[in-house]
Amino acid sequence: MIRVYLVDDHPFVLKGLISYLKTQEEIDVVGKAETGEKAIKEIKKMKPDVAIVDLRLPEKNGTEITKEIKSEGLKTEIIILSSYNRDQEVIEAIDAGALSYLMKDSSPQKLVEAIKAAEKGEPVLHPRVAKKIMQRAAGKKVVSEPLTDREMEVLSLLVKGLSNKEIADNLYISTRTVKSHVSNILRKMDVKDRTQAVIKAIDNDLVRR
């Protein structure tokens, strides 16, 4: 039997998951939680084979739950089951140690497939999530050509909200040089303005705030 723990802050979703998974002979639902703190406490105690975790939860979110469970060295595999697939949220969850990432529009059969695969340590990803992971790995749609070290420095300061003059003062260069670097950054990132560059940089983990 695969011992499964469920984490979701919507009682209706939890009830539906439990009802369906109870029809699966190889799966045993051993517990459930509607908050992050309770989930972490009980997962550490019960040590289930798989935890199915929503991303946005009270107290601690799915990424924080994943990170804490993995930092404890538990063998529990985490499957994120969420309505959200923003680039940054997906990447952070995977980086924290989540094995699989499914959207809530996935079929019940796909969830069972992910649970059975998790027992073997094999990931299952929603197609939209898989695409994001592949794009990140290949570096697609981020920059058309690598940014220079100086351009990365300028981009990091743009993310912090600095003006051209403030960037120039920080890097001991002229504002004219800063403008040139910014133009190159916008061209390489294929964006129209500084705001789009900042959003794209953060969403694709080029730099962090």
Side-chain angles (χ1 to χ4, degrees), residues 175-202:
T175 54
R176 182 176 180 180
T177 301
V178 172
K179 289 179 181 179
S180 176
H181 286 315
V182 171
S183 295
N184 287 337
I185 290 168
L186 299 186
R187 174 179 58 80
K188 291 180 178 181
M189 295 184 71
D190 191 27
V191 293
K192 296 180 179 180
D193 56 43
R194 299 158 67 106
T195 300
Q196 289 183 5
V198 167
I199 293 171
K200 193 169 186 178
I202 294 173

Side-chain angles (χ1 to χ4, degrees), residues 150 153 157 160 162-173 178:
R150 179 61 89 185
E153 289 178 331
L157 295 175
K160 292 180 180 179
L162 273 62
S163 66
N164 283 357
K165 185 178 186 307
E166 289 170 328
I167 293 173
D169 291 342
N170 268 267
L171 300 179
Y172 301 102
I173 56 179
V178 172

Side-chain angles (χ1 to χ4, degrees), residues 18-190:
I18 292 170
S19 296
Y20 179 75
L21 293 178
K22 279 186 175 180
T23 68
Q24 306 299 307
E25 294 182 358
E26 299 176 47
I27 296 173
D28 180 23
V29 178
V30 297
K32 61 183 175 67
E34 296 180 19
T35 66
E37 289 288 0
K38 180 184 177 183
I40 290 171
K41 181 179 179 180
E42 293 197 344
I43 290 172
K44 287 180 180 179
K45 180 180 178 181
M46 298 179 180
K47 298 179 174 60
D49 301 307
V50 178
I52 299 172
V53 182
D54 192 9
L55 197 60
R56 298 185 181 179
L57 296 160
E59 298 173 359
K60 289 195 174 183
N61 62 34
T63 297
E64 291 170 324
I65 292 171
T66 302
K67 191 175 295 183
E68 187 157 344
I69 294 305
K70 290 303 175 181
S71 69
E72 291 287 326
L74 298 182
K75 294 182 179 179
T76 301
E77 295 290 3
I78 308 295
I79 298 173
I80 298 294
L81 181 63
S82 176
S83 301
Y84 305 97
N85 70 331
R86 287 186 64 250
D87 289 6
Q88 189 173 2
E89 290 177 316
V90 170
I91 297 304
E92 286 179 351
I94 297 298
D95 284 349
L99 178 67
S100 299
Y101 197 120
L102 296 178
M103 303 296 294
K104 287 186 176 178
D105 62 3
S106 301
S107 68
Q109 293 85 355
K110 195 69 176 178
L111 178 59
V112 171
E113 176 189 328
I115 292 171
K116 292 180 178 179
E119 189 185 27
K120 304 172 186 176
E122 299 172 355
V124 174
L125 301 172
H126 190 282
R128 292 199 298 273
V129 173
K131 183 177 180 181
K132 293 178 187 297
I133 300 297
M134 292 300 293
Q135 286 176 347
R136 186 203 192 200
K140 293 179 180 178
K141 296 187 177 180
V142 181
V143 291
S144 59
E145 59 182 285
L147 299 180
T148 65
D149 290 343
R150 179 61 89 185
E151 287 165 356
M152 284 300 299
E153 289 178 331
V154 171
L155 181 59
S156 295
L157 295 175
L158 285 177
V159 169
K160 292 180 180 179
L162 273 62
S163 66
N164 283 357
K165 185 178 186 307
E166 289 170 328
I167 293 173
D169 291 342
N170 268 267
L171 300 179
Y172 301 102
I173 56 179
S174 68
T175 54
R176 182 176 180 180
T177 301
V178 172
K179 289 179 181 179
S180 176
H181 286 315
V182 171
S183 295
N184 287 337
I185 290 168
L186 299 186
R187 174 179 58 80
K188 291 180 178 181
M189 295 184 71
D190 191 27

